[in-house]
Amino acid sequence: AHLVLFCPFSKGLQGKRGLRVRCVFLAWLGVFAGSWLVYMRYSSYSELCRGHICQAVICDQYHKGIISGSICQDLCELRLVEWRTCLSAAPSQQVYSGLWRDKDVTIKCGIEEALDSKAQSDAAPRRELVLFDKPTRGTSIKEFREMTLSFLKANLGDLPSLPALVGQVLLMADFNKDNRVSLAEAKSVWALLQRNEFLLLLSLQEKEHASQLLGYCGDLYVTEGVPHGAWHAAALPPLLRPLLPPALQGALQQWLGPAWPWRAKIAIGLLEFVEELFHGAYGTFYMCETTLANVGYTATYDFRMADLQQVAPEAAVRRFLQGRRCEHSADCTYGRDCRAPCDRLMRQCKGDLIQPNLAKVCALLRGYLLPGAPADLREELGTQLRTCTTLSGLASQVEAHHSLVLSHLKTLLWKKISNTKYS
């Protein structure tokens, strides 16, 4: 960037003196403003992108024997985990693209405790006390099993399938397959469970549209590489990503995204993901930030949910809404767009969401699929998407219309691309 100063000429000695003062002042102001902008950009970037701190804290805890995990040795001793592009949108959740054993991966780590405004030398001990405090020494495997089951019930609801999920947690904790769970292994998996996205990955690990978990160390975990589709935003500096208007995101998707038939295939995968979230083995989940930024896909155009941070278990949303005081429905909003009506007479939030997942996804697909759609399909597709967006979140309506509308949409899109190279 270049700073151009324009100083108009004026006549006489007095004018020249005033001109010189004016130009010096403008030059000083320009240098000050430019330095401030550079400082703000650097300081904000350094706050957002602190993977080096994350790795240092995790490895410190690993070397002390407080935590363990399947990739600890590669991360902290062999240095086989390469941190590449910073993708973090918030300082508390560090996200990086990376490389691990010749595989493209996404590295995620929370460091909110370490980012205290006080001296950073205190960071590692604080994480040991705050994050890796459970279970305590002397906890039996039976007590840890019960502790994990209680946690899952509180977050996913009282479901008959939870004991099986507890078994999977214990199996994952025993990463070295020695048929026992050490205190370090238990502390690590317990810390991971506190991460919302990890809990979702665990609950949806058998579903094809969620990224696969590849390994962990403490509460740092590694998943499949960043899906395609999110790269438009990832190419921007971290400070600008949240500022990208939805309309511009849509335009980028049209200009730089895949051809329409591939978009149709991705949309089918997104609709299947909505099915997976509705009455799955571990309950119902709500998509609480429905944006194009979360529409990712693989090299073969199979849909992948790019970010599960804003997908919430029904139990968590209902707990948030229960007894919540409100004046307007905006007061009953969980995340970005999981909104329930406000009972103005009782001044309390109601329990049913205004829009189910499918209605929000269909609103998203109108901008994603209709531009460039084949002429013989556009009218019917537009009609079905409009019908879909009118679905309400009331349980009686969801049960009656959800599956039917979703099935019709999938069939319409699949007929258009089946028996072609796009299928």
Side-chain angles (χ1 to χ4, degrees):
H2 299 282
L3 182 65
V4 179
L5 299 177
F6 176 68
C7 297
F9 291 102
S10 56
K11 295 180 180 178
L13 185 60
Q14 189 78 17
K16 287 182 179 179
R17 216 173 263 150
L19 173 65
R20 192 176 296 117
V21 171
R22 193 182 304 126
C23 286
V24 169
F25 174 74
L26 287 175
W28 174 85
L29 187 64
V31 170
F32 175 79
S35 301
W36 177 253
L37 286 172
V38 169
Y39 167 76
M40 289 299 293
R41 176 169 178 173
Y42 173 77
S43 61
S44 298
Y45 182 87
S46 65
E47 282 294 310
L48 276 177
C49 302
R50 310 194 76 166
H52 60 291
I53 292 179
C54 190
Q55 182 170 0
V57 170
I58 287 290
C59 291
D60 176 69
Q61 302 301 289
Y62 168 65
H63 290 308
K64 289 178 178 177
I66 295 166
I67 61 173
S68 64
S70 56
I71 66 165
C72 286
Q73 188 176 30
D74 284 359
L75 178 73
C76 302
E77 295 178 2
L78 303 178
R79 302 286 174 175
L80 294 177
V81 179
E82 181 184 337
W83 300 62
R84 289 186 168 179
T85 307
C86 173
L87 305 173
S88 308
S92 60
Q93 182 64 31
Q94 293 296 295
V95 183
Y96 279 75
S97 65
L99 191 69
W100 176 49
R101 294 188 177 272
D102 299 323
K103 285 186 288 192
D104 289 320
V105 297
T106 302
I107 307 164
K108 299 191 177 184
C109 176
I111 57 172
E112 58 266 36
E113 293 85 5
L115 291 177
D116 193 271
S117 57
K118 298 178 183 178
Q120 291 299 315
S121 60
D122 183 47
R126 290 187 68 249
R127 268 179 72 85
E128 177 183 347
L129 292 171
V130 176
L131 182 63
F132 303 117
D133 59 339
K134 293 181 181 178
T136 55
R137 188 172 297 279
T139 302
S140 68
I141 189 65
K142 181 181 178 182
E143 289 171 330
F144 183 59
R145 184 187 292 273
E146 291 171 354
M147 177 177 158
T148 304
L149 181 60
S150 297
F151 174 83
L152 293 176
K153 279 183 181 178
N155 286 274
L156 300 177
D158 192 358
L159 304 167
S161 56
L162 290 188
L165 188 58
V166 172
Q168 291 181 39
V169 170
L170 296 178
L171 196 64
M172 184 182 68
D174 181 24
F175 72 94
N176 56 7
K177 310 302 179 192
D178 63 355
N179 296 317
R180 57 183 292 272
V181 177
S182 68
L183 183 61
E185 289 171 339
K187 281 180 180 288
S188 298
V189 80
W190 180 258
L192 282 169
L193 287 173
Q194 312 311 305
R195 305 285 174 203
N196 180 63
E197 187 183 36
F198 181 83
L199 182 59
L200 269 292
L201 281 173
L202 190 65
S203 304
L204 300 171
Q205 62 182 326
E206 296 176 0
K207 310 298 183 182
E208 62 176 302
H209 301 302
S211 296
Q212 294 298 303
L213 178 69
L214 301 178
Y216 68 93
C217 181
D219 70 325
L220 176 150
Y221 57 99
V222 171
T223 65
E224 289 178 310
V226 178
H228 297 276
W231 71 271
H232 312 309
L236 294 169
L239 289 177
L240 298 181
R241 285 177 219 143
L243 305 178
L244 195 66
L248 186 53
Q249 288 186 33
L252 281 173
Q253 196 73 35
Q254 299 304 320
W255 299 334
L256 305 175
W260 188 89
W262 290 129
R263 276 185 275 146
K265 183 180 180 183
I266 295 162
I268 291 170
L270 175 55
L271 292 170
E272 289 173 348
F273 181 69
V274 171
E275 282 184 300
E276 292 168 356
L277 295 182
F278 188 65
H279 289 337
Y282 302 115
T284 295
F285 297 87
Y286 294 128
M287 298 170 69
C288 294
E289 185 172 355
T290 317
T291 65
L292 280 176
N294 286 331
V295 179
Y297 52 90
T298 66
T300 55
Y301 299 94
D302 293 312
F303 170 78
R304 286 289 184 278
M305 189 68 177
D307 185 11
L308 287 171
Q309 285 289 344
Q310 295 298 325
V311 177
E314 181 182 33
V317 176
R318 289 196 177 276
R319 187 168 58 249
F320 170 84
L321 294 172
Q322 188 175 13
R324 190 174 186 82
R325 304 290 291 174
C326 64
E327 295 291 336
H328 310 282
S329 61
D331 301 325
C332 304
T333 305
Y334 182 98
R336 177 173 169 172
D337 56 22
C338 280
R339 182 173 295 184
C342 174
D343 186 330
R344 295 196 178 182
L345 184 63
M346 301 295 294
R347 293 193 174 184
Q348 283 193 347
C349 297
K350 295 182 179 179
D352 287 319
L353 297 184
I354 295 172
Q355 276 190 308
N357 292 332
L358 183 58
K360 291 187 286 188
V361 164
C362 285
L364 188 70
L365 290 180
R366 288 177 71 177
Y368 187 69
L369 284 179
L370 290 179
D376 61 337
L377 181 72
R378 191 178 298 119
E379 185 177 352
E380 187 179 356
L381 179 60
T383 301
Q384 288 206 25
L385 288 173
R386 279 193 301 273
T387 300
C388 175
T389 56
T390 62
L391 286 172
S392 83
L394 298 176
S396 57
Q397 291 195 26
V398 170
E399 293 289 352
H401 297 101
H402 186 108
S403 297
L404 188 62
V405 171
L406 195 149
S407 177
H408 282 171
L409 266 173
K410 282 173 55 181
T411 301
L412 182 67
L413 293 171
W414 190 249
K415 278 183 177 178
K416 195 64 185 175
I417 64 170
S418 59
N419 300 319
T420 69
K421 67 176 182 178
Y422 301 104
S423 61

